[in-house]
Amino acid sequence: MDIILLFFALPISTIILAIVLQKVLKCPILVAATFFAIYLIVTFTAFDSDFLIFAIVYSIIAYITAVLTKYISRLIEELNRCHENQCNNNNNNDNNDNNATNVGRANVTLTTNGANPVLFLTNRNDNTTRRNCCLRRR
């Protein structure tokens, strides 16, 4: 086996294909399982059983790449959604004539749930629509 193949070509191709499969399958475990199955077949057809260690390592690389791709894609989607919501809020605020009077106002809501009081501070007049720009688990 060529050293360049083992330490450069196969890991780089594994990373690139793991990104592609993650975008298609949307499941990091399936991506890693697919790569392990492919490398397991390649181990016993083209190489000797020593390649099995590399197959396991490449499957772990595929899983880590798929997880990173999942979280980076989610982060980009959240940032785009927040940017769109912020642009929509700016457009809506520019259309209001009394925009300067709403700057210093804040709505305060105190909600008690048993022994746990919760305090909400907002600067919106409309409490029916909530536009959060926070990253949360789905």
Side-chain angles (χ1 to χ4, degrees), residues 59-121:
S59 299
I60 292 170
I61 290 172
Y63 177 75
I64 292 170
T65 303
V67 168
L68 288 175
T69 303
K70 177 181 175 181
Y71 287 124
I72 289 171
S73 297
R74 184 178 292 171
L75 177 67
I76 290 171
E77 288 174 5
E78 290 289 329
L79 289 175
N80 284 340
R81 184 179 59 82
C82 288
H83 178 69
E84 289 173 0
N85 286 342
Q86 186 177 13
C87 289
N88 289 340
N89 285 339
N90 289 341
N91 290 340
N92 289 340
N93 287 340
D94 290 341
N95 293 335
N96 292 339
D97 293 331
N98 56 358
N99 193 17
T101 59
N102 290 333
V103 172
R105 264 186 230 169
N107 293 334
V108 178
T109 305
L110 179 63
T111 305
T112 57
N113 185 6
N116 298 327
V118 178
L119 180 67
F120 294 105
L121 294 173

Side-chain angles (χ1 to χ4, degrees), residues 89 92 102 107 122-131:
N89 285 339
N92 289 340
N102 290 333
N107 293 334
T122 62
N123 59 356
R124 295 177 300 195
N125 291 333
D126 184 19
N127 289 330
T128 59
T129 60
R130 294 187 65 187
R131 297 184 181 188

Side-chain angles (χ1 to χ4, degrees), residues 3-59:
I3 298 297
I4 295 175
L5 178 71
L6 287 176
F7 293 112
F8 182 72
L10 289 177
I12 296 297
S13 63
T14 299
I15 290 170
I16 292 170
L17 290 174
I19 292 170
V20 171
L21 277 178
Q22 173 59 31
K23 295 299 248 180
V24 172
L25 297 176
K26 298 184 189 308
C27 181
I29 295 174
L30 284 178
V31 172
T34 303
F35 272 97
F36 184 70
I38 291 170
Y39 282 128
L40 190 64
I41 292 170
V42 169
T43 297
F44 293 111
T45 57
F47 301 112
D48 55 354
S49 61
D50 295 335
F51 188 74
L52 185 61
I53 296 169
F54 287 105
I56 294 169
V57 170
Y58 295 152
S59 299

